[in-house]
């Protein structure tokens, strides 16, 4: 059986209305799966002097803290989300979390909160209340570490994502569908990922098909194209392919993007090309917003 047919047969009621309106609860969580390029080119330096790999790792760790904070109540962290990371590069395709979380690709949020690799002391500038800034020491949990080596086996990484999400959707048929946030800085070195991406977007729950968000990052200043509604302004075949691989904006994220100044509508794709520091942070922040938490 082909990859595409196998995933097609795993759908739940593919002809039903895809609403993206299911309540997210502890009984019916949703899923965020990050797929992160860790190829050798991720060692290129951004304008801050940090490598792309280091910056993406920082943003991902901050995103996990933000999601945990949103889901924390008086009794502790509520498991509204299963979350995980697939990392791909010179070592192949591996779980992105190490330590206690290295046994699988997805984990309940409370398990993630309880098992960072370490907690670092970081310095952060905060408002001093008198119009100035002062440095403050803050705790910074680290779950995901920067790595960069080898090629870019994007096809294998997306196949693994599809395999993980087929099983997840089978176990959560009534949940809000999974969201895949894929971050890369280059072209696939193991073939054309387009068909695999289309198969991944066919995997579904009763509430809708999996969402695939693609982010291309670059160290060069200028030229960023974030959340386009057509491929006409994209400069080459690679960027147009990533655009086509990306899902349209789900309705509840349109306002989240607009609140950060992006001009988006239902025709916009959740895709960013040549994203810099601000674009990467916005992409993660908007992409992990959730509606209808119960």
């Amino acid at each position: 059986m082909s990859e595409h047919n196998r995933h097609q047969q795993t759908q739940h009621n593919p002809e039903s209305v895809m609403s993206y309106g299911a309540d997210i609860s502890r009984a019916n969580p949703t899923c965020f799966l990050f797929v992160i390029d860790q190829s050798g080119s991720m060692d290129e330096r951004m304008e801050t002097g940090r490598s792309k790999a280091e910056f993406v790792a920082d943003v991902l760790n901050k995103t996990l803290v933000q999601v945990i904070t949103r889901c924390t109540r008086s009794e502790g962290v509520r498991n509204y989300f299963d979350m995980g990371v697939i990392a791909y590069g010179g070592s192949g395709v591996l779980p992105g979390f190490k330590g206690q979380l290295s046994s699988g690709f997805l984990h309940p949020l409370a398990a993630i909160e309880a098992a960072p690799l370490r907690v670092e002391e970081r310095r952060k500038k905060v408002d001093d209340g008198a119009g100035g800034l002062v440095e403050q020491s803050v705790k910074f949990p680290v779950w995901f570490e920067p790595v960069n080596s080898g090629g870019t086996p994007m096809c294998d990484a997306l196949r693994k994502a599809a395999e993980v999400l087929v099983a997840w959707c089978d176990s959560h048929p009534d949940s809000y569908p999974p969201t895949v946030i894929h971050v890369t800085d280059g072209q696939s070195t193991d073939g054309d990922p387009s068909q695999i991406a289309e198969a991944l977007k066919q995997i579904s729950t009763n509430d809708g098909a999996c969402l695939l968000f693609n982010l291309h990052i670059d160290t060069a200043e200028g030229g960023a194209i974030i959340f386009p509604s057509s491929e006409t302004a994209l400069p080459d075949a690679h960027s147009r392919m990533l655009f086509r691989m990306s899902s349209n904006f789900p309705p509840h994220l349109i306002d989240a993007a607009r609140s950060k100044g992006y001009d988006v509508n239902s025709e916009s794709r959740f895709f960013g090309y040549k994203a810099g520091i601000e674009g990467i942070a916005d992409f993660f922040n908007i992409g992990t917003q959730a509606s209808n938490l119960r």
Side-chain angles (χ1 to χ4, degrees), residues 50-277:
R50 310 196 78 202
S51 71
K52 290 184 282 190
E54 289 170 332
F55 188 77
V56 169
D58 264 8
V59 174
L60 178 48
N61 287 314
K62 287 177 184 175
T63 299
L64 291 170
V65 170
Q66 290 166 354
V67 173
I68 289 166
T69 300
R70 291 205 301 267
C71 297
T72 298
R73 303 293 186 268
S74 58
E75 75 278 10
V77 177
R78 292 187 177 180
N79 287 319
Y80 291 129
F81 305 111
D82 291 333
M83 299 185 75
V85 185
I86 292 173
Y88 67 99
S91 299
V93 176
L94 299 167
F97 291 140
K98 305 304 178 189
Q100 294 180 46
L101 301 175
S102 63
S103 59
F105 289 98
L106 286 174
H107 304 275
L109 191 60
I112 294 171
E113 189 271 339
L117 280 173
R118 62 183 178 277
V119 178
E120 298 179 354
E121 289 280 344
R122 297 275 183 103
R123 305 297 294 178
K124 179 182 180 181
K125 290 185 177 179
V126 297
D127 190 336
D128 66 0
L133 295 173
V134 294
E135 279 204 344
Q136 188 178 80
S137 179
V138 295
K139 302 288 188 184
F140 188 82
V142 172
W143 291 272
F144 180 75
E145 294 188 297
V147 175
N148 46 266
S149 69
T152 311
M154 190 183 297
C155 293
D156 278 351
L158 293 177
R159 280 192 198 97
K160 176 55 70 175
E163 177 187 317
V164 169
L165 295 181
V166 162
W168 191 91
C169 288
D170 282 345
S171 299
H172 301 82
D174 296 319
S175 288
Y176 183 95
T179 300
V180 178
I181 297 180
H182 173 225
V183 181
T184 182
D185 73 334
Q187 298 188 32
S188 172
T189 55
D190 65 347
D192 182 350
S194 300
Q195 285 191 324
I196 302 163
E198 289 308 309
L200 193 156
K201 291 189 290 182
Q202 293 297 312
I203 302 164
S204 64
T205 67
N206 294 326
D207 189 52
C210 288
L211 296 163
L212 175 57
F213 301 163
N214 289 286
L215 180 66
H216 175 275
I217 62 176
D218 202 290
T219 54
E221 289 190 26
I225 300 172
I226 311 294
F227 306 141
S229 56
S230 79
E231 60 185 69
T232 54
L234 296 167
D236 53 36
H238 176 58
S239 57
R240 291 190 287 272
M241 177 190 72
L242 288 173
F243 171 85
R244 291 190 294 270
M245 283 168 53
S246 303
S247 298
N248 286 91
F249 254 79
H252 77 276
L253 294 186
I254 290 177
D255 285 343
R258 287 176 177 170
S259 72
K260 289 185 175 291
Y262 293 99
D263 182 16
V264 299
N265 55 51
S266 60
E267 298 301 312
S268 302
R269 299 286 180 111
F270 212 107
F271 167 60
Y273 183 68
K274 291 188 73 173
I277 288 173

Side-chain angles (χ1 to χ4, degrees), residues 5-27:
N5 288 340
R6 181 166 65 85
H7 294 321
Q8 288 275 47
Q9 291 187 15
T10 314
Q11 294 184 90
H12 299 273
N13 301 334
E15 300 303 320
S16 65
V17 174
M18 300 302 192
S19 66
Y20 298 102
D23 288 344
I24 297 168
S25 66
R26 285 165 287 183

